[in-house]
Amino acid sequence: MNLDAVRVLVVPLGGLSRTKFKRYLELLRAHSEVELDALASTPTPRSQGEAPRLLTASPRPKSVSRTSKSKRPSLKSFKSSTKASTKASAKSSAKSSTKSHRRSDSRASAAGDSSDSDSGAPDIVVAPEVSDTGPIFAYRAVSVTPRIRFEFVADAGPESPVAELHMHKRVLGVVGVGACSELLGDAAYTRLTAEAAAYPFALQTRAYAFDPPLDYRDDDDRFVVIPSNRVDFYVDRLLADFGEALVTSFEVSLAHLRDSPAPIVAPALGRDPESASKLRKLKPGRLAKIIGDCALLAGSPLDGAAYHKRAIDLTAAASDELWLAGAQEGYAAALVLASQHGLASDTDVDCDIAATYREAIDHYAAAKLRSLEVEARLKLGLFYASTGDTLAAGACMMDAHARFQDAKASAEVHDRILLFNTMAQVFLSIGYARKAAFFLRQAALEQADQGAPGTGTALLALAAPVFGLSLSQINSDALLPGWSLATQQSDPSLPAAAPNAVVVPFAASARLSWPYLQVLVIKDLIELGARLPDQTATLKYMAYLLARMHPFLDERSQREFCKRLALLASSLGSVPLISTPGLPYVNLITPLQLSSEFQVHTVKAAGSAASPFIFSSFGASSSSSSRPGARFAHGDEPPVFELGCPVHFALLVSNPLLVPLHLEHITVLVDGIEFVTEAASTVLPPETTDYCVTLTGVPLAEGTFTITGVSMHVLNMASSFGVDAHGVGKVLAGATHAVKSKKKTATAYVVAPPLPRLKLTSNGVSETSLLVHEGELSIVSLTLENVSSVAVTKLDISVPRNPSSMASMRAKASEVILWNDDDIASFLPLEPGAVATLDLRVFGVLGDIHSGVHLTYAAPHKPDLASYYRTLVFDIHVLAERGLQALSFDILPVHLALDAPLVSDEQVAPGAAAEVDDLARHAHDDGVLELSALFPASTESHDDHPSHDVLLVFAVANRTSGTFHLSVGVAHDHVSQLRTATDPRDVFAPVHCIALNQLLEEQAAARDGVPDRFVTRVVSIEPTTVERIAVPIPRFALAQALLDTPIRRLFPAWSKTQSALKTKPSKADDVRMQHLMYYKLALLKLVRLRWFSSFNTSGILPLDALVLTPSMVATLTPDPVSLSLSFDAFGHDASAPNSSGSFVLVAPHALGSITLRFRNAGADPVSLSVRIVLAQQVASRLASTADAATGVPNVVIDGMLAFDTGPMMPGTSFTHSLAAAFTADGEAYDLIVYAQHTKPTPSSSAGSAINEAVTIVVSSACDERELLPLRRPRTGSNASSVGPRS
Amino acid sequence: MVGLSSFSYLFSELIRHSQSRVTAIGPLEAKLDAAGFQVGARMVDLISLREKSGKREVKLKNVLVLIQTSVFRTLFGKSADALAQYSSDDAEEYHIVDNEPLVNRYISVPRDMSDLNCGAFVAGIVKGVLAGAGFPAEVVAHNTPDDDGRYPYCTTYQVRVTAVDVRAREK
Amino acid sequence: MNSFFVMVGSDDTLLFENQVINNGKAASLASVGLSSGMDKADQKDVLTHFVLFSALDVVDEEMWRTQNMFLRKVDKFEEWEVSAFVTAGNIRFLILHDARNDDGIRTFFTRVYDLYMKMALNPFYKLNSPITSPSFAAKVRALADEHL
């Protein structure tokens, strides 16, 4: 509040340059406050000619003399009183009039006693009556040297309409400054006077001439020459003189005003002028106020206070609203000044000031003087701020603003700017940053409207931090000078997380404090920047807005800004490189692995001593890891590229905007070697993340390169993004030095010299899948063409050890795919352009195999190529079907039968009677019967418990087109137990029946040489046929100990999950399953089926078709029930018949009895149903025909041929006897007993059967012969008891 | 009010969870502190709503008293045992003493991390309450077993307010 | 009554906003926003935002002088008034309104405070983070219709 400053206009004189003018102005301003009694010698003030007018309406004073006369004493008094009151400060002038002393004292005393009655400020003395005589200013109670303050303005602008009320707004003096060097003459002086004339109230005029040359003659007294040395001193003096003169002229004009009868009219603010009488009534108050103002200007606040107080009373009495307000304001100002000068104690004054101001404001409001009111409010606010009452200050400010907004239409722009600035400053001073920012912004926008966008930007830059934006002038960025923008919270998730996180509105990651405000401020910045000559900053703001604030822009404005950005960027001519921040977000830049046939591998140092080839594992692993197009994973070793052959890069970009982004001229920045990348361009759809763009480049030199980043043109701006070690994109700071720092961590890719490359075709296709039968052999021919310019001198083929196939455990790829290395050697080296064919032999081994055949080739003869090689992968899929298949299994009980081919052959070597009718013949001729020849003594010993043989009968199918041979093997030891083989008549045909004797032969053969524990017999199976094969095997029983041991993990699923537990079978079932399993294992140990085909391949015929049922197992196991036969009374004497187990001799026409004894050796009671059949042997028919004439039946059997034994307790036996008579001599019969268990018991053989047969030979030739020692019949102990009875 | 057993179970789980993710003690305490902060910052509103009938605490001292009494009572069923002010030129320093911290009652600190104090959780709570009430402060939990060993787990929470404006507010 | 309600976190984060302004008033408010070539629709909201944001200064001053949560009218902008409410956790509710209605505003604030508490006790809500729950918005809107 500069009510105490005298406004002085400074005008340049002559052709004064601006810089000099500025200098002089500063010089003056440096001394804008001078002490009044500092003037040593009073040069007679020049402007004595006429008393200047102080008020618009005040008439011109008549004559100079009067004023000059009336001035004198007052000046004296002023000086003396000053000296009196001043503590011997200045040099005292000798002459001092006692009269003036007395007067001042009396005034002081008067003031003293009248102060009590005064209701106003306590320590302010009542102003004297504005008497007709006497001086006006008294400078009473001034404890300090009175001082006057100037406000030097270079441009005073138009006079404010209410200047009547504000002296300090009025130009009261004009000072011309000039340089002596310039020509100063009449022209300059007249100009000065003209300037002064423009301001009618300019009381004093001065013309100063600075910087006189040495030889300057000061002849022109119109100009006060200021010597160059001690400029300050002189300026101080001169200004003091100036001020003195001003004060004088104040007094002059005030006195004149006081004396003149003319009324003081208020400024005409569109209100009807008061009447003359009213004016006369109003005059004293108004006069007092004006005097008060002048007093303030003259630097005597106490006087001012006094006069204003008086004015208040008067004007209030006269209800002169406007002037009352002015007086109150002035009074408050006076108080403030007083307290500032330490003339009054602050505390109790403050409230007074505030109150007065409020009144003033009210009255202004009543007087409808908006501008004045606003000003007053501002001042009050300032005052509050100075007293530290921030709340009140804030309220005041807001009120002022509100009132101002009401009067906005009337107010000028620079007023507004002034207001906003001042409010901003006030708010800043009281620490209201946000409000200050608000008004700063308003001011900035106003400035922009006034065509000063630069200052506007600067103001916004001040305001921005409050909104969480920092606007900083960056010099480092050489590419785009200007302001750079950033969000202030150093929130790492903002720019750093750009790659993977598209910033979403209100995501916790992006902490934008008050997004709308930030967006708005940035928009303002853009608008302001748009009016600046340099558009680059705007570019940045828009880019920043789009890249960082996009979540808070709707699609329309996003599109609009994109368009504007593009337009602006294109208007800038050369494509500008926008550094921060980048759109779109680049997430990843990585080179793509070449397709497998182009891939180049480097030889591992390990094991590469002799040749660069270690294909075994490396080839496989590299091929498995490098699927074509697979992104090279971190940690895996980087791919190697070939000179001149294209490299593809995968670029992942994200577009967070709601509008599509056009990316043009996308190129990869590569460091290290010469590299051409062809610029790609694409359109990013809205809101896409990880949109993949494939870029292509060609290395032009050998060596290693690193990917430093990618550059692209977005919205006509070039942005370049750097990458870190993993190829993850980040916004690149314009220049490339940021990339250099990254280089050490970035992965280096090797570019190899040109290498040989083969093109592979196999029957035109690159992948072969073929179906072969097990054991079949087929040929796949590969065609290799060298499409490179380098000869291939080394080529190796390998198949991976572990092909990814389910059946790999069945068939190893190395067994399936065969090749001949000599073929390869034959066509090496393969010159460029040459074509070679290579045959792969694929062999059908059961199972299907997906396998890659790796052809690894290189040109090791060239030293620089020695460390590289390539691999061609030829995928082949072999599906081999099984050739032989076991269909069904069955186990048949077999009855004992004589192992005889049963063909009637007359020529049989004597003594080797192998047939029954030989027997008869022999009996006829020499009568010597070689029973030993007939019944070779069996070597093995027989236990009491009988064990019968069974037949394992199964069908084998040959589904293939080739003949298979099946070698059926039975284990040695079991063969030796086999007693006999089956009779073709009993087993259904057609069956390949393995006869015992063949087995025996092969056993013997086996014993000689081959240490095979199997006795085998080969059966050939024709294509597409099914053969049944019966193998005799002995019954066997497994040791109970074995059966009791449970089979671990027999049913793994059952012990696992709850649901499985539900389906778990009962204990008994479990045990039975175990037993079946054991029996199956034992059976498979017993019998082996091995197939082999014409392609000398062989394999074991899997017997997985063999399913054992309890009944089959029962048939396998030895039957507890044994049968023994005995023959009584057959023969010529009563002696025991010549029974030889399965062979009994009986005499013709002899009557006898056949006794069957069943014995239950098992643990459970058993009951049998028995059927007895007597069958005449085929070969002996010829004999029987002889007797056909007589018609006598050859055989008579009396007895039950079919009966049931009751339940036989364990250990007991059941006997049944038949009476029989055989008449025809030389005949042979088979007595066959079928015994079937009727009540199968769990443990014993359920459903098993006993099939016993005895061959009865009727021969009369055995009479006169002593019995030959017979082998002990194996059909039971009782046979031995059938001895000769004596 | 939560059962003590369930509380200690939850708290032990919290510690185990945090421990499984850090190696050193510092980070572990930091995690506990952060966990506590969230609790504390919510406690402010809750307490004022429940007990203060819609009044805010605008003085640091009062807030601390609130913590000592209401917050501790609400959380641990008993108020803290002492609240002491310490004169310090660069900060407003207060100490809140809890003789038997609930959080340490069922925590047996292993040898190798003997200087771990699960009171860090409570320190976080205190910090949260203070920050929520507008008094950002540093809160550290110290193991201060008393000499006669009556309170082996006695813990002191050291509150230091250094922010200039806050201290100015206190003046 | 036209009103514009915001919740501001203790770190000046805008947590929530609810605007009930019919055009006439809005226009008068918007007209204050100095034209910087921006579309008016944008202007309107953002100027209200500005006013409320700058009112925070006064709130920060006032809130340390009283223990009350409801600070009544803290600031005025032309004919608009700003009433404030500060929770114990220093979450600041501001409302810009054009008619004097202290009781209504007080009840509105307290009800919203209850809502906020219910939501803030959810451990998955990060304090001082913007409130996105639509149900919360709906309830606040209902409260505004009821009390303002």
Side-chain angles (χ1 to χ4, degrees), chain A residues 824-839:
Chain A
I824 303 171
S826 66
F827 59 70
L828 284 180
L830 193 58
E831 293 305 328
V835 177
T837 61
L838 172 65
D839 286 351

Side-chain angles (χ1 to χ4, degrees), chain B residues 47-65:
Chain B
I47 296 268
S48 78
L49 207 61
R50 281 183 182 163
E51 307 183 4
K52 312 297 288 184
S53 69
K55 290 273 182 243
R56 299 180 303 119
E57 292 299 350
V58 293
K59 286 297 172 198
L60 176 56
K61 193 71 174 285
N62 302 350
V63 177
L64 287 164
V65 172

Side-chain angles (χ1 to χ4, degrees), chain A residues 803-822:
Chain A
S804 57
S805 91
M806 291 303 297
S808 58
M809 67 289 296
R810 284 251 196 97
K812 298 263 299 300
S814 50
E815 295 177 356
V816 171
I817 301 165
L818 313 168
W819 62 87
N820 188 350
D821 289 340
D822 305 342

Side-chain angles (χ1 to χ4, degrees), chain A residues 73 90 100 176 219 339 412 458 469 727 886 950 953 966 1034 1075 1111 1116 1127 1172:
Chain A
S100 64
D219 49 3
S339 59
E412 296 86 351
L469 298 167
V950 291
V953 180
L966 185 71
H1075 288 185
S1111 62
L1116 270 179
F1127 299 84
I1172 304 170

Side-chain angles (χ1 to χ4, degrees), chain B residues 37-38 41-42 44-46 48-49 54-59 62 131-135 169, chain C residues 63-64 66-69 86-90 113-114 116-117 120-123 125-127:
Chain B
F37 189 92
Q38 287 295 321
R42 288 169 162 80
V44 193
D45 278 318
L46 200 58
S48 78
L49 207 61
K55 290 273 182 243
R56 299 180 303 119
E57 292 299 350
V58 293
K59 286 297 172 198
N62 302 350
F135 298 89
R169 225 189 282 140
Chain C
M63 58 186 281
W64 296 113
T66 168
Q67 278 200 312
N68 297 336
M69 294 192 173
V86 183
T87 74
N90 285 345
Y113 185 29
D114 293 345
Y116 170 76
M117 282 307 298
L121 285 182
N122 168 5
Y125 170 72
K126 185 170 167 296
L127 290 175

Side-chain angles (χ1 to χ4, degrees), chain A residues 734-1033:
Chain A
T736 48
H737 57 71
V739 184
K740 290 277 188 288
S741 61
K742 283 264 163 271
K743 227 178 76 179
K744 58 173 103 44
T745 55
T747 41
Y749 303 98
V750 177
V751 174
L755 291 166
R757 191 161 69 80
L758 290 183
K759 201 151 150 302
L760 178 141
T761 54
S762 120
N763 323 332
V765 299
S766 73
E767 186 193 356
T768 303
S769 146
L770 42 90
L771 169 66
V772 294
H773 287 302
E774 196 169 20
E776 214 167 317
L777 187 71
S778 68
I779 305 281
V780 176
S781 74
L782 310 178
T783 311
L784 298 173
E785 181 180 3
N786 185 351
V787 294
S788 71
S789 61
V790 185
V792 177
T793 56
K794 192 90 170 74
L795 174 69
D796 275 17
I797 303 184
S798 66
V799 290
R801 288 285 167 276
N802 48 356
S804 57
S805 91
M806 291 303 297
S808 58
M809 67 289 296
R810 284 251 196 97
K812 298 263 299 300
S814 50
E815 295 177 356
V816 171
I817 301 165
L818 313 168
W819 62 87
N820 188 350
D821 289 340
D822 305 342
D823 308 353
I824 303 171
S826 66
F827 59 70
L828 284 180
L830 193 58
E831 293 305 328
V835 177
T837 61
L838 172 65
D839 286 351
L840 290 181
R841 281 176 295 142
V842 176
F843 190 67
V845 175
L846 197 60
D848 65 343
I849 296 180
H850 295 268
S851 167
V853 180
H854 297 276
L855 292 85
T856 319
Y857 58 93
H861 61 288
K862 293 194 173 182
D864 55 348
L865 306 184
S867 61
Y868 301 110
Y869 65 91
R870 274 201 167 116
T871 299
L872 274 177
V873 178
F874 172 68
D875 288 328
I876 185 165
H877 172 204
V878 180
L879 173 61
E881 257 194 6
R882 172 183 296 141
L884 275 185
Q885 212 168 5
L887 293 181
S888 67
F889 287 85
D890 194 3
I891 294 181
L892 305 176
V894 181
H895 80 280
L896 298 174
L898 193 57
D899 176 17
L902 296 169
V903 288
S904 70
D905 178 353
E906 299 302 321
Q907 289 79 23
V908 181
E915 306 172 11
V916 187
D917 40 7
D918 288 356
L919 192 69
R921 203 176 309 115
H922 286 295
H924 282 299
D925 37 49
D926 56 4
V928 175
L929 190 58
E930 298 280 343
L931 285 179
S932 62
L934 287 173
F935 316 120
S938 78
T939 56
E940 70 268 25
S941 65
H942 286 293
D943 53 339
D944 294 346
H945 189 68
S947 150
H948 316 276
D949 294 342
V950 291
L951 272 184
L952 176 65
V953 180
F954 56 91
V956 175
N958 176 4
R959 295 286 161 76
T960 68
S961 55
T963 305
F964 277 88
H965 306 287
L966 185 71
S967 82
V968 183
V970 184
H972 277 313
D973 36 7
H974 296 291
V975 168
S976 53
Q977 287 178 19
L978 282 177
R979 220 138 284 105
T980 168
T982 54
D983 188 327
R985 287 173 306 169
D986 300 326
V987 193
F988 27 83
V991 171
H992 282 274
C993 184
I994 316 291
L996 177 60
N997 56 357
Q998 290 162 320
L999 288 178
L1000 290 174
E1001 288 162 11
E1002 306 204 5
Q1003 176 183 20
R1007 287 223 186 79
D1008 301 345
V1010 194
D1012 188 357
R1013 52 177 290 268
F1014 282 93
V1015 178
T1016 59
R1017 155 111 190 268
V1018 173
V1019 178
S1020 79
I1021 302 172
E1022 295 309 315
T1024 68
T1025 56
V1026 176
E1027 295 287 351
R1028 308 185 60 128
I1029 299 170
V1031 184
I1033 52 174

Side-chain angles (χ1 to χ4, degrees), chain A residues 319-330:
Chain A
S319 73
D320 188 355
E321 287 278 340
L322 182 52
W323 289 80
L324 171 56
Q328 279 164 330
E329 189 178 356

